[in-house]
Every structure is written in C-alpha cells, then in structure tokens.
Amino acid sequence: MPNTLPENIFRTVFEKSPGSLLVRADVPRFTILAASDSYLAVTATTRDAILGRGFSEVFPESTNIDDAIKAQHIFKKVAETGQKIDIPSYRYDIFDPDTYTYEEHYWSCSNVPILGDDGKIAYILNTVIDITKEVKAREEAMEIANRLRMANEATGLATWDLDLVDQTFVYSPRMAEIFGHKLDEDISLSDFRSQISQDDMNNIILPSFKAATLSGDYLYEVKIILPDASTRWIKTQGIVIFDANKKPVRMLGTVLDITESKRDEIRKNDFIAMASHELKTPLTSLKAYIQLLERKITQKDDSFINNALVKAGNQVNKMADLVYGFLDLSRLESGKLQVKILPFDISELIAEIITETMLINYSHPIVFKQGKPMIINADRDRIGQVVSNFLSNAIKYSPKGSTITVSSRIMDSNAQVSVTDNGIGIRSKDQEKLFQRFYRVENENIKNISGFGIGLYLASEIIQRHQGKIWVESKEGKGSTFSFSLPIGS
Ligand code: ADP
C-alpha cells in the first residue's frame, strides 16, 4: 500500500467537508477549483455551474455589504499578504425561493493561503460554517440574563455565585452597593464575610453547614457593618449544587437589604418590651392586694366576696402569664433570653407544676405517670415554663372533666416528657405550624378561647436552646400529645 492518499480520496474528503471552497490565487479572478457539497447546498448551485469560473462571476457580491466581509476583498488580502484571515461571526442572509424572503443567517469563515511548488501563494482555501443556531442561542441567553438583571434591579436583589472547587466568587454590582462599596472596587469573598457582625456569625454557620450536608438550600438574616461603620441588615437566600458524588461544588445566592423592615421589627419589639415591662409593676401590686384581701376576707367568712377574689386572682394570674409571655418574646427576639443551666430532677419539677396547676384549676383530673428520677442540665424555670404551657393548653383545648396525662421517661438517653389530652385535637396541616410565632389554629370551636399564639413558639425556642426536640402528635377530634426531649446529664 502506498503511504500517500490517492487524489480521488482527497477529492472526496474535500467534497464532504463542511462549507469548503478552493480558489486559485489569480487576483482578481479567483478561479474556483473545488467546492464541497455543503457549500453548493448553501449557495444553491451545482459543481458544474461553478468549477473553472471566476468567483465574482459566479457569486456577484451585493454592494450593500461591508468590504471587510466581502469574499473578493478578503481573497485579495490573503493573496497579497500570505496571512490567514478569520472572520469569527458575520451576518449574510440567504434568499428562500419558496417564500421569496431573505432568511437571517450568521457565519464564521476562515481563509487560508496554500503555497504552490514554487513557494508562492497558489490557492486559497475558504471554509464557511453556519453559526446561526449558536448566535441565536447566545442572543437568547443574553436576553434572559438581561431580563434577570432588570428584575433584580427593580427588586433591589443582589446575586452572587461561589465556585467551591476553585473558590471563584462572582457578584452583581448591587451586592457591592449593599455592602457599601464602590462599583469599581474589587471585593473578595473574605472581604464580604469580614463585614458580617460577629454576633451574627452563628446565624450563618449552621444554615450553611446544613445546606452543604443535607438540604441544599439555606436562608439567613444577619447584620453587616459598612466601611463607614454604619450597619445594615441583609437576608441571604440560596442553594448549594452537588456533583454526581454528592460533593458540594457551587453555591448560588441572592442578597436583599432588609434594614427598613428590620428596624420596624426592632421598634415593635422595643415597644412590646417596654409595654410589658411597665405592666409588670401594677400587675404585681394588684396581685399582692388581692392576696391581702383574700386573707382578710376569709376571717370574716363572706363566701361571695371570697369567691370573687379567687376569680379576680385567677384573672390576674392569666394576665401576668400573658405579660411575661410578651416580655420573654421580646427578650428572645433581641437575643436577650438568658438560660441558667444547672442540674435538677425533671420528674420532681413536673410534680411541682402539676400540684400548682391543680391548686388553681379544678376542671380536669391530671394523672402523672412518673418515670425514674431523671437529672438533666438545663434552666429549671424555663423548662417549667414549657411544661406549664403544655398543661395549660391541654386544659384550654379539651372538655371539662376529661383526663390529662403527663408522663416522663427515658428514651434513647434522653429525658422525654409528654402531655396528653382528650381534647379537640389538631389537623395535620396545622401541626407543623403550631410552633411558629403568633400561629393560632382557625377553628370555630376555639374562637372564644383567649391566647396570642406565643406559648408554643417560646416553648420550642427554649427547647432548641437546650439542644432538645419538641413535637406534637394529634388527631382531630380525638386529642393531642405534646412532647419534648432533652439530653440526660448533658
Ligand atoms: P395560645 O394557646 O396562647 O394561642 P400557643 O402557642 O400555646 O398559643 O398555641 C398555639 C395554638 O396551638 C393554639 O392557638 C391552638 O390552636 C393550638 N393548640 C395548642 N395546644 C393545643 C392542644 N392541646 N389541643 C389543641 N390545640 C392546641
């Protein structure tokens, strides 16, 4: 077998190649020597009609196209300079004889000089590729990016994108603006991070860790410190993208300036804190006066007044619970809810709370299924508050005379406490929302029962602060069991 390809094979290869034309470098005629099938198809001609003829004779160029992309002009330059000329993208519409219209087309072409035996430029190879689809796709992508940018600008949303593999960080101009930087500054991810208030660092670590290991998405609110030392609040929301091996490779997110609404929230919290603080003092003295009167009246044995005072005492207690609830809420929101961790026996605490509850409430029998003594490290008053809330809800939301059962036991090295009632129960769609702030079930049966929907929210925050779990199991019309569990001896 010879080591060189026979000429007819070369010819076939050429004819099958995409958009190729070979012309002689005989300026200005440029005699056409070979053309590939696809070149003929695009130019709607045949090999017989063009071979051996001059290029401009066959393809007269329209006068309204730019000189720089005229084939004639380019061939001349290649022949004269011996340099290859590429035109990466140009528009040249094609006439469609069926519709009598021109169809929009984009092309990329390359013009390569080929030397003859004498070392002079003898031929020019012109290769043209139709890139209409690619150009259209790029235009569409730009259009989408533009629309997204406009939507982001309108909503004030900033966007960022972190490549976790090579740590490349890209952000929109709005992000620099929110963080108080000039648009031409080059800001790194660690620069942005260093602006997050130290007090809020914990708000980020857990959601980011969860997103990277479990859920893939995250949301957090933090305070940032601007270069001029002023502060702003931002809300970041985003997703983590994993590769096929479940390794996190990319994080994408948006940042929104929420300073205004945060300030409103802080003002509202301050108001609640102040109002509940101011209410505490008159309430305490009211309570003291009622107790004083109760003691005096008993001696005189006036049953009507005695009864009225017990009722007044109960109402004052209810009001005190509400006021303390709001005070706790505002402490919680401003991060000032303190927990004092000390070891104590949780069964003993439950027994105490049941006794106290029964003293002021005769409507429901309460049964305590007490497990072994269980020493936990926690804030005794706060955990007592959770048990009280479960108990008072069980009383509020179950018919008079029905039994309430409290149980304590050890489950998987945790102390588990449950309060079960035979009351109205809760629909499953409401169950997951019960622990949210101000959530109350909308239900005809309970519209007359007072409450603000903060008890369970506080309870869940308290339990979370102790690294515990809180949950509910319930059937509508049958009753509910509210439980929490806390690590023993932790
Ligand atoms: P409050 O009772 O003051 O409204 P909570 O936060 O303690 O606030 O409870 C939130 C809501 O959960 C209540 O409004 C009620 O709809 C529902 N709920 C709580 N405990 C029970 C229960 N034991 N049975 C039925 N519904 C309950």
Side-chain angles (χ1 to χ4, degrees):
M1 276 274 265
N3 276 340
T4 49
L5 276 176
E7 205 200 305
N8 61 337
I9 301 281
F10 262 131
R11 186 162 291 278
T12 313
V13 169
F14 188 90
E15 287 175 357
K16 299 298 162 207
S17 67
S20 305
L21 184 82
L22 185 71
V23 296
R24 199 189 298 284
D26 51 352
V27 189
R29 188 166 194 268
F30 300 113
T31 313
I32 300 174
L33 300 176
S36 72
D37 294 349
S38 61
Y39 198 99
L40 297 170
V42 168
T43 50
T45 184
T46 62
R47 207 162 269 126
D48 283 349
I50 62 167
L51 289 196
R53 296 179 68 190
F55 182 84
S56 41
E57 207 183 305
V58 184
F59 301 115
E61 229 130 22
S62 93
T63 45
N64 60 3
I65 66 166
D66 197 347
D67 259 3
I69 61 162
K70 271 188 190 152
Q72 188 78 22
H73 178 83
I74 296 167
F75 290 170
K76 195 162 170 269
K77 251 184 147 180
V78 176
E80 282 166 8
T81 61
Q83 301 284 322
K84 171 180 178 237
I85 297 183
D86 288 336
I87 314 262
S89 170
Y90 63 95
R91 180 171 169 180
Y92 185 73
D93 296 348
I94 291 184
F95 184 71
D96 181 347
D98 294 336
T99 58
Y100 278 96
T101 51
Y102 277 94
E103 218 176 64
E104 188 178 337
H105 270 265
Y106 293 87
W107 309 89
S108 167
C109 88
S110 134
N111 301 277
V112 184
I114 298 170
L115 302 183
D117 292 342
D118 57 359
K120 293 206 178 112
I121 298 157
Y123 313 100
I124 298 168
L125 175 65
N126 168 236
T127 316
V128 182
I129 301 170
D130 187 344
I131 54 164
T132 311
K133 271 198 195 126
E134 289 76 358
V135 170
K136 292 276 173 205
R138 200 171 53 214
E139 276 176 2
E140 215 165 285
M142 273 166 68
E143 170 77 23
I144 293 171
N146 250 350
R147 236 180 285 146
L148 192 67
R149 190 178 47 80
M150 267 160 31
N152 285 347
E153 268 168 22
T155 53
L157 211 60
T159 52
W160 55 267
D161 183 347
L162 170 66
D163 186 321
L164 294 170
V165 181
D166 63 12
Q167 294 296 308
T168 329
F169 183 64
V170 186
Y171 56 88
S172 70
R174 175 78 185 130
M175 173 114 171
E177 212 178 321
I178 291 177
F179 278 73
H181 296 282
K182 295 207 185 70
L183 298 187
D184 55 5
E185 274 178 68
D186 191 13
I187 312 139
S188 69
L189 176 61
S190 57
D191 293 337
F192 281 123
R193 277 210 183 122
S194 68
Q195 285 184 251
I196 295 170
S197 152
Q198 276 307 313
D199 307 342
D200 286 345
M201 253 349 208
N202 285 345
N203 295 2
I204 293 191
I205 294 165
L206 195 62
S208 306
F209 176 74
K210 270 194 187 156
T213 49
L214 306 162
S215 62
D217 49 36
Y218 57 88
L219 170 77
Y220 49 77
E221 289 180 9
V222 284
K223 190 160 80 183
I224 55 168
I225 297 151
L226 271 58
D228 66 2
S230 62
T231 54
R232 238 178 220 170
W233 288 89
I234 57 160
K235 177 160 135 183
T236 281
Q237 199 162 3
I239 50 165
V240 177
I241 295 169
F242 298 87
D243 67 6
N245 302 320
K246 301 214 164 72
K247 193 176 142 234
V249 287
R250 196 167 162 199
M251 281 171 102
L252 300 169
T254 57
V255 173
L256 189 66
D257 181 355
I258 52 160
T259 311
E260 261 322 296
S261 61
K262 204 74 193 179
R263 292 217 169 109
D264 277 349
E265 206 176 297
I266 291 170
R267 270 194 291 271
K268 189 186 73 201
N269 273 343
D270 287 351
F271 173 77
I272 293 177
M274 193 189 67
S276 24
H277 188 79
E278 290 301 317
L279 280 169
K280 240 173 51 181
T281 324
L283 259 182
T284 314
S285 43
L286 197 59
K287 208 166 156 176
Y289 281 123
I290 290 174
Q291 281 167 354
L292 201 73
L293 280 174
E294 266 178 333
R295 247 175 277 142
K296 295 222 162 173
I297 275 303
T298 336
Q299 291 155 14
K300 293 193 182 136
D301 202 21
D302 182 327
S303 70
F304 172 76
I305 296 182
N306 199 14
N307 236 337
L309 280 176
V310 170
K311 283 189 178 145
N314 284 346
Q315 294 303 324
V316 169
N317 281 341
K318 270 194 188 169
M319 216 165 142
D321 280 349
L322 279 179
V323 169
Y324 279 97
F326 276 117
L327 205 57
D328 280 345
L329 182 76
S330 65
R331 282 189 188 132
L332 189 86
E333 311 267 281
S334 58
K336 289 183 197 136
L337 188 82
Q338 305 278 347
V339 284
K340 285 182 245 106
I341 307 286
L342 286 170
F344 67 92
D345 179 355
I346 193 166
S347 298
E348 205 175 84
L349 170 72
I350 297 168
E352 261 171 43
I353 290 171
I354 293 177
T355 314
E356 269 170 34
T357 311
M358 299 225 295
L359 274 182
I360 48 169
N361 225 301
Y362 323 106
S363 57
H364 296 71
I366 303 175
V367 176
F368 184 20
K369 290 190 180 158
Q370 185 168 0
K372 291 184 204 140
M374 292 184 290
I375 306 294
I376 60 165
N377 279 321
D379 185 319
R380 195 175 194 274
D381 289 345
R382 294 281 172 212
I383 300 300
Q385 210 177 322
V386 178
V387 179
S388 288
N389 174 255
F390 281 5
L391 261 180
S392 65
N393 278 346
I395 293 168
K396 263 174 28 182
Y397 302 107
S398 66
K400 274 189 183 151
S402 62
T403 306
I404 292 167
T405 312
V406 185
S407 68
S408 67
R409 60 193 157 144
I410 297 176
M411 287 283 281
D412 307 326
S413 326
N414 288 315
Q416 184 172 315
V417 177
S418 301
V419 176
T420 303
D421 63 54
N422 297 296
I424 58 170
I426 305 146
R427 281 178 299 189
S428 45
K429 86 172 177 52
D430 288 315
Q431 288 177 19
E432 58 210 63
K433 301 190 191 133
L434 285 188
F435 300 97
Q436 292 171 6
R437 189 173 62 156
F438 303 136
Y439 191 82
R440 300 202 75 211
V441 174
E442 275 178 34
N443 188 328
E444 272 304 299
N445 300 337
I446 59 167
K447 72 172 198 270
N448 296 324
I449 304 177
S450 67
F452 286 100
I454 55 172
L456 286 178
Y457 170 64
L458 280 174
S460 100
E461 289 290 325
I462 291 169
I463 296 299
Q464 273 175 39
R465 252 153 233 235
H466 288 83
Q467 279 76 46
K469 267 176 44 187
I470 186 165
W471 67 98
V472 60
E473 291 148 285
S474 180
K475 266 218 164 86
E476 206 181 357
K478 292 261 180 326
S480 314
T481 299
F482 280 85
S483 310
F484 66 82
S485 73
L486 292 169
I488 289 181
S490 66

